[in-house]
């Protein structure tokens, strides 16, 4: 018996969401009294990274290597995870709720005829049964869901669980597969080269709304992000993206990306329900808005009522002073 955790990689490097998935899996495995097994799928050269997954709690690592896995291959990845689940007697399989995890997890669920809870923020065991908590209705309601049969499949919202080290001397085994199927094949993957992290994975997000006034004022938010440190991402509301001020990749909200960073700055954002649905699970929310009645203040941990053109530069200045004393 085991808990199986999918360790996502991209471009030959294990991603941060993999460590979060392993951390959640470690807690679940301990509660069930079973081992935690990581499954790593990728090109053969990635095998050198497999043993390192023991640092985040994996008792064993199953590595499925193939040249055809250089890029994400839906059918082949599904074959690998489903076979690993069968070999280990998985009671639960955890995925990150990333773009890759959102595509892969329902494929594996369909293959195994199993139930899937998506975008969960908590995983646990009650009366010997696996349960998960997932937000719904824009985060206004938290559903507790259970499973009628095993394995229970879950995709974990990025940043919902902080990656924590729990070192193990992980044994690595190789998963033998038939020639991977390639009904769908990714020939190339391209993306923007960004200096800042993606909003879905950032420790801190500075997000701006229509109140910023225009793209020419975004330098204020960039200065605040620089003051907060290199792990800070820039985000935007839907109104900003629709106006063409910022790229869609920065959009936070129901039609953008759902985020849960430790710290979220909402600058000039009124707090429309669509935006709140994407960020209200952040651990600490700081709002800056000149309208004291703005809905964003209802979810904010700290609120500053004032002109952002005065408040944000002062915030940047004071943060720089504090960081210079570290």
């Amino acid at each position: 018996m085991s808990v199986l955790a999918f360790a996502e990689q991209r471009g030959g490097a294990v991603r941060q969401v993999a460590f979060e998935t392993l951390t959640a899996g470690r807690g679940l495995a301990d509660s069930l009294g079973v081992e935690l097994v990581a499954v790593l799928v990728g090109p053969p050269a990635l095998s050198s990274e497999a043993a390192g997954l023991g640092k985040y709690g994996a008792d064993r690592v199953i590595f499925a290597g193939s040249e055809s896995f250089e890029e994400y291959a839906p059918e082949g990845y599904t074959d690998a995870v489903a076979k690993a689940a069968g070999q280990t007697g998985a009671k639960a399989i955890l995925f990150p709720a990333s773009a890759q995890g959102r595509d892969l997890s329902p494929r594996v669920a369909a293959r195994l005829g199993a139930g899937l809870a998506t975008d969960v923020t908590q995983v646990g065991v009650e009366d010997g049964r696996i349960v998960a908590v997932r937000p719904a209705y824009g985060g206004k309601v938290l559903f507790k869901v259970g499973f009628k049969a095993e394995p229970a499949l879950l995709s974990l919202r990025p940043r919902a669980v902080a990656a924590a080290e729990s070192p193990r001397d992980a044994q690595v085994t190789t998963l033998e597969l038939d020639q991977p199927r390639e009904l769908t094949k990714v020939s190339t993957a391209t993306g923007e080269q960004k200096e800042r992290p993606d909003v879905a994975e950032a420790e801190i997000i500075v997000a701006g709304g229509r109140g910023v006034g225009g793209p020419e004022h975004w330098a204020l938010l960039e200065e605040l992000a620089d003051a907060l440190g290199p792990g800070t991402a820039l985000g935007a509301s839907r109104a900003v993206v629709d106006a063409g001020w910022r790229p869609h990749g920065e959009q936070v909200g129901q039609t953008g990306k759902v985020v849960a960073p430790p710290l979220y700055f909402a600058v000039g954002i009124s707090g429309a329900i669509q935006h709140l649905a994407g960020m209200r699970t952040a651990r600490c929310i700081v709002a800056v808005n000149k309208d004291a009645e703005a809905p964003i203040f209802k979810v904010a941990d700290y609120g500053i009522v004032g002109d952002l053109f005065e408040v944000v530069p002062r915030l940047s200045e004071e943060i720089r002073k504090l960081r210079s004393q570290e």
Side-chain angles (χ1 to χ4, degrees), residues 121-175:
T121 55
Q122 298 177 44
V123 183
V125 177
E126 293 183 3
D127 299 323
R129 297 182 59 201
I130 297 170
V131 294
V133 174
R134 65 183 304 272
Y137 299 112
K140 290 185 175 181
V141 176
L142 296 178
F143 279 118
K144 183 179 287 186
V145 298
F147 299 85
K148 293 182 178 180
E150 295 177 349
L153 274 68
L154 311 99
S155 66
L156 186 71
R157 178 178 293 187
R159 294 292 178 189
V161 174
E165 296 183 11
S166 180
R168 303 286 199 281
D169 185 13
Q171 175 191 2
V172 179
T173 58
T174 300
L175 185 67

Side-chain angles (χ1 to χ4, degrees), residues 25-84:
R26 180 71 267 165
L28 184 59
D30 289 342
S31 297
L32 292 170
V34 299
E35 66 176 353
L36 173 64
V37 180
V39 56
L40 179 62
V41 186
L46 192 65
S47 61
S48 60
E49 301 291 322
L53 299 178
K55 182 179 181 180
Y56 291 89
D59 296 300
R60 286 198 290 141
V61 180
I62 295 176
F63 177 66
S66 170
E67 295 292 350
S68 63
F69 293 158
E70 183 74 34
E71 300 290 351
Y72 174 58
E75 292 81 16
Y77 275 49
T78 300
D79 290 343
V81 177
K83 187 170 183 178

Side-chain angles (χ1 to χ4, degrees), residues 245-315:
W245 298 357
R246 301 300 295 179
H248 184 268
E250 293 182 2
Q251 183 177 327
V252 174
Q254 202 163 34
T255 55
K257 294 181 180 178
V258 176
V259 301
L263 180 58
Y264 187 91
F265 284 84
V267 181
I269 294 174
S270 63
I273 189 63
Q274 292 88 350
H275 187 77
L276 298 183
M279 46 67 72
R280 69 188 305 153
T281 53
R283 286 176 225 166
C284 181
I285 300 170
V286 180
V288 180
N289 201 295
K290 65 182 180 181
D291 180 7
E293 301 301 319
I296 192 69
F297 289 122
K298 295 180 180 179
V299 300
D301 298 282
Y302 299 93
I304 303 173
V305 179
D307 187 338
L308 67 87
F309 295 102
E310 297 176 1
V311 173
V312 174
R314 183 66 182 275
L315 272 175

Side-chain angles (χ1 to χ4, degrees), residues 175-195:
L175 185 67
E176 298 296 334
L177 292 171
D178 297 330
Q179 180 64 30
R181 295 180 298 150
E182 293 185 350
L183 300 176
T184 305
K185 183 177 181 180
V186 177
S187 56
T188 58
T190 60
E192 288 184 88
Q193 295 298 316
K194 298 181 179 180
E195 296 180 2

